[in-house]
Amino acid sequence: MIKNGYGKLLDFQVNGNDIVINYEHNKVFVSIIRSTIINFFVPLFRKERNSKAVENFETTHRKFEIKAIENGLEIITEKLVVKIFDYFKTDIYDKTGNLLCQDYRGEKAPFERRFSDYDLLAAEGHKTNANSDEKIYVVKKLEEDTYFYGLGERSGHLNKKGYHYVNWNTDNPAPHGETFDRLYKSIPFLIGIKKNISFGIFFDNHFETTFDMGRDNKDYYYFSAADGNLDYYFIYGPSVKEVVENYTKLTGTTPLPQLWTLGFQQCRWSYGSEARVMEIANSFRKREIPCDTIYLDIDYMDGYRVFTWNKEKFKNPHAMIEKLKSMGFKIVTIIDPGVKVDKGYKIYDEGLENDYFAKDNQGIVYRNEVWPGDSVYPDFLNSKTRSWWAKNQKIMTDYGVSGIWNDMNEPASFKGPLPDDVMFDNDGIPVMHKEAHNIYAHFMAKATYEGLKKETGKRPFIVTRAAYAGTQKYSTVWTGDNQSTWEHLRMSIPMLMNLGLSGIGFCGTDVGGFGHDCTSELLIRWVQMGTFTPLFRNHSAMGTRDQEPWAFDEKTEEINRQYIKLRYKLLPYIYDMMWQCNKTGAPLIRPLLFNYQADAETYELNYEFLCGDNILVAPVVEQGAKVRTLYLPKGDSWVDYWTGEIHEGGQYIIKNVPLDICPIYIKGGSVLPTYEVQNYVGEKEITKLTLQVYLTDENTSSTYNHYVDDGESFKYMVGEYSNYKIKVTNGEKVEIKLKVIDNNYKDSYKNFQFVFHNLKEKEVIINGETKAVDDKGKIVIIKP
């Protein structure tokens, strides 16, 4: 609904896959995107759809029926029945008659908030949590057996029922807690599960928006916006997998990353000199702890001027980076949007001369303050500004920099937030800050992506703090300035799972925590969790204690080394899962419900997750814990990674968890490809792929696809890759079929080694030939 309503439904017209519904007071446009995706659009702010998330998406005519019904009309696709009535009340069913999503017919009735002296409350610094004004308000009936997920980076539990969130990218340095209703990213995409049927709602509005999942009233949930158009997509599953796949078809999937970006990464605010950077690099190699990436935070710059170097601390950046490259390290440098006001500084002068900066409402370049002091903000909504920013990436790549870290891009500001009426130029369309705010970082990431792609020809590696829906097409994300506390370790797990469900397939946290002082035990448990997350980066703040893997004692160092090496062992599996993510949107880190939706016991498991399809991880998140209770979903058996013990699914178990053990379980019947451990990606030529086969007492049949390409270029997009299909049948004997489906890339594999777990003296047949197995369950075969 909107404030002035719609009135009675008068008539409708059909034009291809678009339906125009005429009401007394408004027009509603309904588009059949697919048989499972319906778009509802009302041009309240601009006539055109102004999506910044849905780019280059083509719809073709879809088969559907439409007919008039009492007080409305009915649209029937192959999968859905949509009934639209007077006052734009809309109910959506699946083809079997299950009611999926129904507009609420009652009055808005949030619970009463009681105040006595409001001014005194505010003076003491308390927030009232009152609802903000909204021009758009869509309210849906909430049923008791509904669960909610998604909405990107959010504190709180996995299931978002009962929560209330605001989409307004916010840099809040206070320790994040469950009461935070906004953080750095705005992804207005909600997934619901009701009676084992899943659907999604993507509210494509980049003004400040609100999602309330039954906090205000248990009878309804709603989404609203301060301004803009009513533009939302209903996305039918019926599985969560299909909802995520369809959502990422709209907004884009995560590009396949360079292989090295999946290795271990080390960061600190700041490694502030060449000597300190080399000390860190030499320590990794001396201690044989694998690492691919070292970050440089703001102190590498000259007076915090972006695209510059402090030549006193880094006398010859190019030579330093070349030396690090010879050691296997890639350098990632931070770049903030704030450009220092400084005549004679190339970036400032060029931006001023070419009108690349945002302005105030009087047409004067707007200034605020960030790290460099008095600063101006590039107008990333303008394509000419983005092109200029993209070209500036060459400054960094010419030094040998391998990736860019975009920070402070909410945009952050030290002298109060940017006013709503700061003006941007969206290629001829004036846009106020209140509209531009949530997409500012999105377009900064896009400009950076295009620049790195052009200058290097490789898949760009960009890390961003702020984001909007669809930013996954351009950038990796991390969850911002967390704290070295057990609470934040716990919070990060559902946060990353919901980011994955929201299309952000390449995500991670600051392992060990950014602020506060980490402890040995906390770092160990966080590294154990981070081993299985897409972005695996240790990062800590200025003034906190050292947090590198060796910063505590020998035992801590050894356990950290053990898990970081495990990460490198699993790189081919993780890369396979990122390949799947690129194709279908399926995230690497995912809640158990993603694969086991039929098992309702998985719907609210906050502190365990799946790493891809075959690995279940239950991190230890309590200080001093000696045991860990965890759930194994039904439908599969599970093999304890450490002991080989087989557990039936559909039960809770208790696992002993000494400090060096993170509970890891492998799905029965599955295959895990592994590599020989390296100190960095590319250190060794990989001539042998080891396929770990996890058998159970049950008869199983499973298929696994292993993908390999050059690990850095875009040649895979034109088919230059190899795809190996491994089928495992476990019955009275074990039969393996290994073949190459796609063989357009000359990989370095010379042979394949099979390692069988729980073989129990069964006969093994590979591609029709009986093979002898050694006493460790190993077979080596020549490449097919």
Side-chain angles (χ1 to χ4, degrees):
M1 62 174 281
I2 55 178
K3 292 295 185 181
N4 62 348
Y6 292 85
K8 297 281 189 177
L9 192 156
L10 303 177
D11 55 37
F12 63 89
Q13 296 88 40
V14 179
N15 181 18
N17 65 330
D18 294 323
I19 303 159
V20 181
I21 306 174
N22 296 304
Y23 284 94
E24 290 177 301
H25 307 304
N26 280 288
K27 286 182 184 292
V28 172
F29 296 82
V30 180
S31 295
I32 313 302
I33 308 298
R34 283 184 166 81
S35 62
T36 54
I37 307 176
I38 313 294
N39 175 251
F40 301 93
F41 176 71
V42 184
L44 304 173
F45 186 77
R46 290 196 177 96
K47 289 183 179 180
E48 72 280 2
R49 285 181 175 85
N50 192 31
S51 178
K52 306 305 181 186
V54 181
E55 301 176 79
N56 305 317
F57 182 80
E58 296 182 3
T59 61
T60 57
H61 180 73
R62 300 289 164 186
K63 181 180 178 182
F64 64 93
E65 302 174 27
I66 185 167
K67 62 182 179 181
I69 59 175
E70 185 178 357
N71 299 322
L73 59 91
E74 184 175 83
I75 304 165
I76 304 171
T77 76
E78 294 173 349
K79 300 289 185 180
L80 296 171
V81 176
V82 182
K83 297 182 180 182
I84 304 175
F85 299 96
D86 292 340
Y87 310 105
F88 191 26
K89 293 298 182 184
T90 303
D91 302 332
I92 303 174
Y93 303 77
D94 66 16
K95 288 298 290 287
T96 62
N98 291 307
L99 180 58
L100 306 173
C101 182
Q102 180 180 35
D103 276 359
Y104 184 66
R105 266 59 172 189
E107 295 295 322
K108 183 179 181 181
F111 64 80
E112 183 179 357
R113 296 186 180 277
R114 304 183 189 278
F115 304 107
S116 55
D117 192 328
Y118 180 90
D119 292 334
L120 201 59
L121 180 80
E124 196 178 350
H126 293 286
K127 293 183 178 180
T128 63
N129 292 318
N131 294 313
S132 59
D133 291 334
E134 66 268 319
K135 292 188 178 179
I136 301 167
Y137 174 74
V138 179
V139 58
K140 304 289 186 180
K141 184 177 180 181
L142 177 56
E143 297 183 36
E144 188 173 341
D145 57 348
T146 304
Y147 300 81
F148 291 117
Y149 309 94
L151 293 175
E153 169 192 78
R154 300 293 176 183
S155 58
H157 291 81
L158 176 65
N159 175 20
K160 295 306 180 186
K161 188 174 182 179
Y163 283 86
H164 175 103
Y165 293 115
V166 177
N167 287 306
W168 186 254
N169 292 356
T170 300
D171 172 27
N172 187 339
H176 307 148
E178 192 172 342
T179 60
F180 276 53
D181 67 357
R182 67 201 73 193
L183 283 170
Y184 306 98
K185 300 166 188 68
S186 294
I187 304 175
F189 173 57
L190 181 68
I191 298 174
I193 298 179
K194 184 174 66 171
K195 297 178 181 176
N196 196 26
I197 300 173
S198 183
F199 63 89
I201 294 174
F202 172 40
F203 183 28
D204 194 5
N205 180 309
H206 47 262
F207 284 82
E208 179 182 305
T209 59
T210 298
F211 278 74
D212 186 291
M213 286 68 65
R215 181 205 68 174
D216 283 8
N217 188 309
K218 66 179 180 61
D219 295 329
Y220 60 75
Y221 63 100
Y222 69 83
F223 51 94
S224 62
D227 212 331
N229 291 329
L230 173 56
D231 187 0
Y232 79 95
Y233 296 81
F234 179 86
I235 304 170
Y236 173 62
S239 70
V240 172
K241 278 187 179 181
E242 290 165 302
V243 172
V244 172
E245 182 172 2
N246 280 320
Y247 168 72
T248 54
K249 278 185 168 65
L250 287 172
T251 61
T253 59
T254 299
L256 190 61
Q258 291 190 62
L259 183 58
W260 66 263
T261 68
L262 299 173
F264 183 71
Q265 306 186 10
Q266 185 64 49
C267 185
R268 184 170 177 86
W269 177 30
S270 281
Y271 297 132
S273 69
E274 179 176 346
R276 181 64 174 142
V277 172
M278 296 311 301
E279 179 187 354
I280 293 296
N282 287 322
S283 292
F284 273 106
R285 295 297 176 250
K286 176 184 176 182
R287 297 168 186 275
E288 296 186 338
I289 300 174
C291 181
D292 266 271
T293 310
I294 296 175
Y295 285 70
L296 297 182
D297 211 318
I298 55 176
D299 294 302
Y300 81 90
M301 291 183 269
D302 177 15
Y304 309 119
R305 296 170 180 85
V306 291
F307 302 109
T308 70
W309 289 80
N310 184 321
K311 293 300 180 68
E312 292 183 6
K313 297 178 179 179
F314 299 89
K315 292 182 179 180
N316 190 337
H318 185 270
M320 179 191 74
I321 293 174
E322 280 297 306
K323 185 175 182 180
L324 288 164
K325 183 179 178 181
S326 71
M327 299 170 66
F329 288 100
K330 277 67 67 174
I331 290 294
V332 174
T333 50
I334 198 168
I335 297 286
D336 295 339
V339 173
K340 183 177 178 62
V341 174
D342 182 14
K343 290 184 179 180
Y345 164 40
K346 179 177 179 289
I347 304 298
Y348 175 72
D349 290 346
E350 285 182 357
L352 205 60
E353 180 182 352
N354 293 286
D355 204 23
Y356 290 148
F357 299 128
K359 299 181 176 66
D360 64 19
N361 59 12
Q362 301 300 310
I364 300 170
V365 172
Y366 174 76
R367 297 185 181 189
N368 203 305
E369 183 178 316
V370 271
W371 299 119
D374 207 12
S375 303
V376 292
Y377 294 83
D379 180 358
F380 290 120
L381 273 68
N382 186 273
S383 59
K384 292 180 180 178
T385 304
R386 292 199 301 274
S387 178
W388 167 68
W389 196 262
K391 290 176 183 176
N392 285 330
Q393 308 307 312
K394 187 176 188 299
I395 298 171
M396 307 311 294
T397 58
D398 281 352
Y399 280 109
V401 168
S402 297
I404 297 294
W405 170 21
N406 287 338
D407 197 8
M408 306 292 286
N409 53 356
E410 291 71 33
S413 50
F414 294 169
K415 288 187 175 179
L418 276 64
D420 283 349
D421 59 358
V422 168
M423 297 304 299
F424 298 81
D425 175 13
N426 186 190
D427 293 339
I429 302 172
V431 173
M432 296 173 68
H433 175 247
K434 66 177 182 178
E435 180 181 0
H437 180 85
N438 282 340
I439 52 174
Y440 187 81
H442 176 86
F443 281 111
M444 183 183 184
K446 182 177 182 179
T448 307
Y449 179 93
E450 291 170 347
L452 290 182
K453 182 178 180 181
K454 180 178 180 181
E455 296 304 328
T456 68
K458 299 177 181 179
R459 308 166 202 169
F461 179 61
I462 300 149
V463 186
T464 185
R465 188 168 74 176
Y468 181 68
T471 300
Q472 67 267 11
K473 297 188 291 288
Y474 309 119
S475 183
T476 309
V477 309
W478 96 104
T479 58
D481 295 345
N482 61 1
Q483 301 290 312
S484 297
T485 65
W486 290 92
E487 178 188 4
H488 275 215
L489 170 59
R490 288 189 290 272
M491 184 175 70
S492 68
I493 299 173
M495 185 179 283
L496 290 176
M497 289 192 285
N498 275 314
L499 271 167
L501 294 179
S502 304
I504 308 292
F506 199 166
C507 58
T509 68
D510 285 343
V511 168
F514 177 69
H516 199 50
D517 291 328
C518 196
T519 66
S520 165
E521 183 183 359
L522 178 59
L523 180 61
I524 288 170
R525 294 308 192 186
W526 214 318
V527 165
Q528 290 171 349
M529 190 271 282
T531 297
F532 300 94
T533 63
L535 180 66
F536 188 16
R537 181 181 82 156
N538 179 320
H539 183 36
S540 53
M542 179 184 296
T544 64
R545 68 157 299 154
D546 287 353
Q547 199 171 281
E548 291 77 25
W550 55 83
F552 292 89
D553 52 44
E554 289 185 8
K555 182 178 181 181
T556 307
E557 178 181 340
E558 179 52 40
I559 296 173
N560 287 338
R561 181 187 294 108
Q562 173 191 356
Y563 279 87
I564 294 170
K565 284 187 172 183
L566 176 58
R567 169 67 167 222
Y568 280 76
K569 180 180 178 180
L570 292 172
L571 274 181
Y573 171 77
I574 292 170
Y575 197 57
D576 287 343
M577 294 301 110
M578 295 305 292
W579 174 52
Q580 293 293 340
C581 181
N582 174 245
K583 293 197 302 180
T584 69
L588 176 69
I589 180 170
R590 58 183 75 161
L592 274 60
L593 63 91
F594 191 85
N595 286 51
Y596 297 95
Q597 186 173 319
D599 183 355
E601 201 68 28
T602 66
Y603 287 7
E604 299 195 77
L605 296 176
N606 294 294
Y607 307 128
E608 54 184 288
F609 60 88
L610 294 173
C611 175
D613 287 319
N614 298 339
I615 303 177
L616 185 152
V617 186
V620 178
V621 294
E622 300 283 347
Q623 179 176 325
K626 300 297 187 292
V627 295
R628 167 71 153 90
T629 301
L630 60 101
Y631 181 74
L632 299 172
K634 59 186 175 185
D636 286 303
S637 294
W638 297 89
V639 181
D640 187 315
Y641 178 81
W642 303 110
T643 67
E645 183 180 0
I646 299 169
H647 298 272
E648 184 179 347
Q651 63 169 329
Y652 287 89
I653 64 170
I654 297 174
K655 171 72 175 174
N656 291 325
V657 287
L659 198 55
D660 63 340
I661 294 296
C662 172
I664 304 167
Y665 293 83
I666 313 300
K667 185 175 72 173
S670 65
V671 173
L672 291 185
T674 59
Y675 281 164
E676 180 183 356
V677 173
Q678 308 174 76
N679 284 309
Y680 58 89
V681 170
E683 180 188 26
K684 304 172 184 176
E685 183 180 31
I686 303 297
T687 59
K688 179 175 68 177
L689 180 71
T690 299
L691 296 164
Q692 312 276 348
V693 183
Y694 286 85
L695 305 174
T696 66
D697 298 330
E698 299 175 332
N699 293 341
T700 57
S701 179
S702 64
T703 300
Y704 184 87
N705 286 79
H706 173 61
Y707 172 90
V708 59
D709 63 13
D710 65 22
E712 64 178 23
S713 79
F714 286 93
K715 292 179 180 178
Y716 76 95
M717 297 184 74
V718 292
E720 195 167 312
Y721 60 85
S722 294
N723 178 10
Y724 295 90
K725 182 178 180 180
I726 305 107
K727 184 175 181 180
V728 179
T729 303
N730 178 29
E732 292 182 2
K733 52 191 173 182
V734 177
E735 294 187 71
I736 306 275
K737 292 182 179 179
L738 170 63
K739 64 179 180 178
V740 184
I741 299 175
D742 302 296
N743 193 21
N744 300 315
Y745 173 69
K746 186 174 175 56
D747 58 60
S748 59
Y749 298 152
K750 290 184 172 57
N751 53 56
F752 287 74
Q753 176 178 263
F754 284 88
V755 178
F756 294 92
H757 302 262
N758 300 313
L759 182 59
K760 298 183 179 178
E761 300 182 354
K762 286 186 178 182
E763 183 181 19
V764 175
I765 301 172
I766 299 179
N767 286 350
E769 296 184 18
T770 301
K771 298 288 183 178
V773 182
D774 70 14
D775 57 0
K776 294 183 179 180
K778 295 180 180 179
I779 298 175
V780 176
I781 67 166
I782 302 301
K783 177 178 175 179

